[in-house]
């Protein structure tokens, strides 16, 4: 291979990578801003003052330090696929990662139980295991999801879970993770990033508060 040809190939490869990077950053920022604009009509259901931070080009963090009841505080993360890095995007996309909303809330009244519900083999389940959060809880299927809970409280918790899952599906029909903890964050919910053209933000956040109410009282 001649030096000229090698240089030409290098220029082509660099141009493709840089072009992909620019397109991925632009796509994520535009998509994230569209979802943020959509959320503006619904976020007052959770609290009056929201802080916003972009964490790179793929994650937006919304924080409400003084949230409305039943929440004490709440974080909402918009986590988009890493479209700016082609090889990372291809790897994570093939492993099942998609654009996702992660809700982590501290409740005024903490749940009396703990459990995890995951869509089998979902990115949310693998991500939890990758962060060494996996507990030695036996798994069993509930409504096409994997249910895990401490052995000592499983008999008490299991009847509650279908009711809470139904409430979570009122927030969004597809649920990738629903978790309860006695320690903060008491509630964690993973659902697909809503399409602003088809979803209603007020309904989304009203249903989220209803889920938290049920989790506090169950």
């Amino acid at each position: 291979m001649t030096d000229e040809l090698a240089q030409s190939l290098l220029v082509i490869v660099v141009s493709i990578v840089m072009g992909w990077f620019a397109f991925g950053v632009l796509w994520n920022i535009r998509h994230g801003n569209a979802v943020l604009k959509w959320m503006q009509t619904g976020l007052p259901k959770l609290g009056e003052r929201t802080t916003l931070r972009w964490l790179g080009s793929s994650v937006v963090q919304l924080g409400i330090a003084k949230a409305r009841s039943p929440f004490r505080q709440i974080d909402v993360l918009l986590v988009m696929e890493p479209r700016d890095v082609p090889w990372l995007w291809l790897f994570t996309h093939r492993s099942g990662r998609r654009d996702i909303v992660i809700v982590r809330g501290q409740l005024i009244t903490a749940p009396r139980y703990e459990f995890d519900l995951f869509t089998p083999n979902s990115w949310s389940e693998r991500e939890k295991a990758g962060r060494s959060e996996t507990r030695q809880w036996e798994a069993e299927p509930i409504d096409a999801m994997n249910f895990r809970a401490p052995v000592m409280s499983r008999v008490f918790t299991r009847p509650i879970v279908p009711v809470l899952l139904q409430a979570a599906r009122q927030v969004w029909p597809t649920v990738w993770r629903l978790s309860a903890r006695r320690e903060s964050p008491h509630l964690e919910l993973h659902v697909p990033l809503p399409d602003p053209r088809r979803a209603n933000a007020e309904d989304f956040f009203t249903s989220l508060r209803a889920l938290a109410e049920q989790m506090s009282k169950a």
Side-chain angles (χ1 to χ4, degrees), residues 99-165:
D99 295 338
I100 186 172
V101 175
I102 298 175
V103 178
R104 295 184 178 126
Q106 180 182 4
L107 306 179
I108 294 172
T109 303
R112 297 175 296 157
Y113 46 82
E114 296 187 320
F115 71 82
D116 288 321
L117 266 180
F118 288 103
T119 299
N121 302 315
S122 64
W123 177 81
S124 293
E125 186 168 28
R126 290 192 297 273
E127 185 265 350
K128 177 178 182 288
R131 289 191 287 123
S132 300
E133 286 188 11
T134 303
R135 305 190 181 193
Q136 298 302 312
W137 295 345
E138 183 180 349
E140 67 174 286
I142 290 184
D143 200 358
M145 300 189 75
N146 287 337
F147 164 67
R148 297 184 179 92
V151 174
M152 298 298 292
S153 61
R154 181 180 291 266
V155 174
F156 166 74
T157 306
R158 197 187 188 289
I160 298 171
V161 168
V163 178
L164 294 175
L165 178 57

Side-chain angles (χ1 to χ4, degrees), residues 33-205:
N33 283 334
V35 175
L36 290 172
K37 183 178 180 181
W38 169 79
M39 284 185 167
Q40 286 178 359
T41 59
L43 280 171
K45 298 290 184 181
L46 299 183
E48 294 182 0
R49 181 174 295 180
T50 304
T51 61
L52 184 153
R53 288 194 304 161
W54 276 91
L55 308 177
S57 62
S58 299
V59 181
V60 186
Q61 182 181 39
L62 300 167
I64 302 177
K66 296 181 179 179
R68 299 187 189 279
S69 177
F71 291 104
R72 189 183 302 277
Q73 65 180 48
I74 186 169
D75 287 318
V76 179
L77 296 171
L78 313 183
V79 183
M80 289 165 282
E81 296 183 62
R83 295 179 177 87
D84 51 345
V85 184
W87 49 88
L88 181 58
W89 175 77
L90 288 169
F91 174 77
T92 57
H93 190 83
R94 287 187 64 184
S95 66
R97 178 172 169 179
R98 299 293 185 267
D99 295 338
I100 186 172
V101 175
I102 298 175
V103 178
R104 295 184 178 126
Q106 180 182 4
L107 306 179
I108 294 172
T109 303
R112 297 175 296 157
Y113 46 82
E114 296 187 320
F115 71 82
D116 288 321
L117 266 180
F118 288 103
T119 299
N121 302 315
S122 64
W123 177 81
S124 293
E125 186 168 28
R126 290 192 297 273
E127 185 265 350
K128 177 178 182 288
R131 289 191 287 123
S132 300
E133 286 188 11
T134 303
R135 305 190 181 193
Q136 298 302 312
W137 295 345
E138 183 180 349
E140 67 174 286
I142 290 184
D143 200 358
M145 300 189 75
N146 287 337
F147 164 67
R148 297 184 179 92
V151 174
M152 298 298 292
S153 61
R154 181 180 291 266
V155 174
F156 166 74
T157 306
R158 197 187 188 289
I160 298 171
V161 168
V163 178
L164 294 175
L165 178 57
Q166 183 178 9
R169 286 174 173 163
Q170 293 298 312
V171 181
W172 198 253
T174 300
V175 175
W176 287 328
R177 173 180 178 179
L178 176 63
S179 296
R181 293 289 186 272
R182 294 189 182 95
E183 297 179 355
S184 184
H186 303 125
L187 180 157
E188 182 158 349
L189 177 68
H190 295 192
V191 298
L193 200 65
D195 183 345
R197 298 167 298 180
R198 301 179 181 178
N200 183 291
E202 290 190 26
D203 290 346
F204 183 92
F205 289 109

